Amino acid sequence: MKKPFCFYDHDVKVKILDNILSHSKNWNWFFKYNEENFLPDIDVNSFDAAINAFFNVSEIFTSLCRIREVCDVNFNISQQWLYE
């Protein structure tokens, strides 16, 4: 069952950081993990809903920003909620 909140377990966080530190170009596992495990509620129709939506995906967003900072990689994202 997919979770509405996107928070990583410790082992996933370690794998993300290891891949960032090694400047990995293989992030398919990361997107597959997110697509298979999370389905956040990102229906934004008010300011409060926008804050809640960001809270639901903030760990993914932060990880994507870190990845983009150090790794020259094009993201292959198939899930609409993750792409946006």
Side-chain angles (χ1 to χ4, degrees), residues 62-78:
T62 302
S63 296
L64 287 170
C65 290
R66 288 181 180 162
I67 293 165
R68 295 284 309 225
E69 285 176 3
V70 298
C71 303
D72 182 24
V73 64
N74 291 324
F75 296 136
N76 185 14
I77 303 171
S78 62

Side-chain angles (χ1 to χ4, degrees), residues 3-4 6 14 17 29 33 49-50 59 64 69 76 82 84:
K3 299 179 239 175
C6 306
V14 169
L17 290 176
W29 67 268
Y33 179 86
E59 192 157 7
L64 287 170
E69 285 176 3
N76 185 14
L82 186 55
E84 292 177 347

Side-chain angles (χ1 to χ4, degrees), residues 6-81:
C6 306
F7 296 105
Y8 298 123
D9 293 330
H10 177 74
D11 58 325
V12 175
K13 288 180 182 181
V14 169
K15 188 171 182 177
I16 292 169
L17 290 176
D18 283 346
N19 278 269
I20 288 172
L21 291 173
S22 68
H23 296 261
S24 175
K25 300 221 184 261
N26 181 12
W27 290 97
N28 292 335
W29 67 268
F30 174 76
F31 294 108
K32 183 176 180 180
Y33 179 86
N34 287 306
E35 292 171 353
E36 290 177 353
N37 290 283
F38 304 124
L39 186 58
D41 179 13
I42 52 174
D43 182 26
V44 178
N45 54 14
S46 69
F47 181 75
D48 287 340
I51 297 296
N52 288 335
F54 180 74
F55 176 75
N56 289 345
V57 297
S58 62
E59 192 157 7
I60 291 175
F61 181 74
T62 302
S63 296
L64 287 170
C65 290
R66 288 181 180 162
I67 293 165
R68 295 284 309 225
E69 285 176 3
V70 298
C71 303
D72 182 24
V73 64
N74 291 324
F75 296 136
N76 185 14
I77 303 171
S78 62
Q79 293 288 329
Q80 190 65 29
W81 71 266

